[in-house]
Amino acid sequence: MANPRQRRKARSGSTLKPSLNAKKQMKKKLARAPTIHGADVLKDNYDPKLTLRQNYARLGLVPSLDVRPNTGGTERAPSSISASSSKEGQAAVRKGMARVIRDDAGNIVDIIEADEHDQDETAWGKPLPSSIADRSDVPTFMPVSQPASNPDALQQLEQIASQAAPVERHTSQKESQWLVELVKKHDDDTQAMAKDRHLNLWQKTEGEIKRAIRKAGGFQALRTSA
């Protein structure tokens, strides 16, 4: 039996379920276009109603894409869909069996046997299906590269790309102090540094220690700062 407090809560309408306005806000968040990370020029000229490839085609950047048909996102020609659907009407002949084709009188006209090459099994089972890129019955195509709708945006993107420079990485103060202690104890023996249980608390490999020392300026710079 419900107590008076539970009755008051039921009458007040307080519930843990989301309200109607909260549901609307959640639907808006789900329907919102994803955030585009990149140059401001690309953000301003990006159409959220189009796909990524269509946006690149609109900007005239399709040839710069590394297209791999088996990674998804490619569009098939309408003719290929009808051709594939017509072939699926006939069931494939299993290995070791055959299909007998007869005429109206019941006479054998043709015998279709299974293709041994396609259904050949190995010691590990059936071979994996070939990639779409290797199949000739599934033509894939990319949107045709159109003239850039905004040539100024394309020029700005090319200018940004020409001015790109590698980001210079700096060693933190704590990491530099740790490397100084390693060099002070083991000199240039990076293998001993990797095996040191007391100083190498993070279990860095020999290659990681070498890269960290190279980024910090080398052994000589660490020896002088010791």
Side-chain angles (χ1 to χ4, degrees), residues 71-203:
T71 56
T74 55
E75 301 173 1
R76 295 187 181 182
S79 59
S80 64
I81 300 174
S82 59
S84 60
S85 60
S86 62
K87 290 182 180 179
E88 290 175 357
Q90 297 180 354
V93 182
R94 291 186 296 175
K95 184 180 179 181
M97 303 185 70
R99 180 184 292 113
V100 179
I101 300 176
R102 299 176 182 270
D103 57 5
D104 297 336
N107 300 321
I108 297 176
V109 178
D110 192 10
I111 298 176
I112 301 176
E113 297 181 356
D115 193 353
E116 298 291 337
H117 178 70
D118 292 342
Q119 300 188 7
D120 190 16
E121 292 190 7
T122 62
W124 300 274
K126 292 184 178 180
L128 294 174
S130 59
S131 172
I132 296 179
D134 302 331
R135 292 172 56 183
S136 58
D137 59 329
V138 184
T140 56
F141 72 98
M142 282 291 298
V144 181
S145 181
Q146 304 171 357
S149 57
N150 191 355
D152 296 335
L154 187 59
Q155 291 178 2
Q156 293 179 22
L157 288 173
E158 290 177 351
Q159 184 178 2
I160 293 172
S162 63
Q163 296 175 354
V167 180
E168 187 178 357
R169 305 292 181 183
H170 299 281
T171 307
S172 63
Q173 184 178 0
K174 190 172 183 180
E175 186 180 6
S176 179
Q177 184 180 358
W178 172 66
L179 292 173
V180 167
E181 293 177 359
L182 284 175
V183 172
K184 187 177 180 180
K185 183 177 180 180
H186 300 287
D187 197 36
D188 58 351
D189 191 357
T190 54
Q191 188 175 4
M193 295 178 188
K195 293 180 180 180
D196 194 336
R197 294 184 178 181
H198 298 285
L199 291 179
N200 191 12
L201 298 176
W202 299 280
Q203 298 181 358

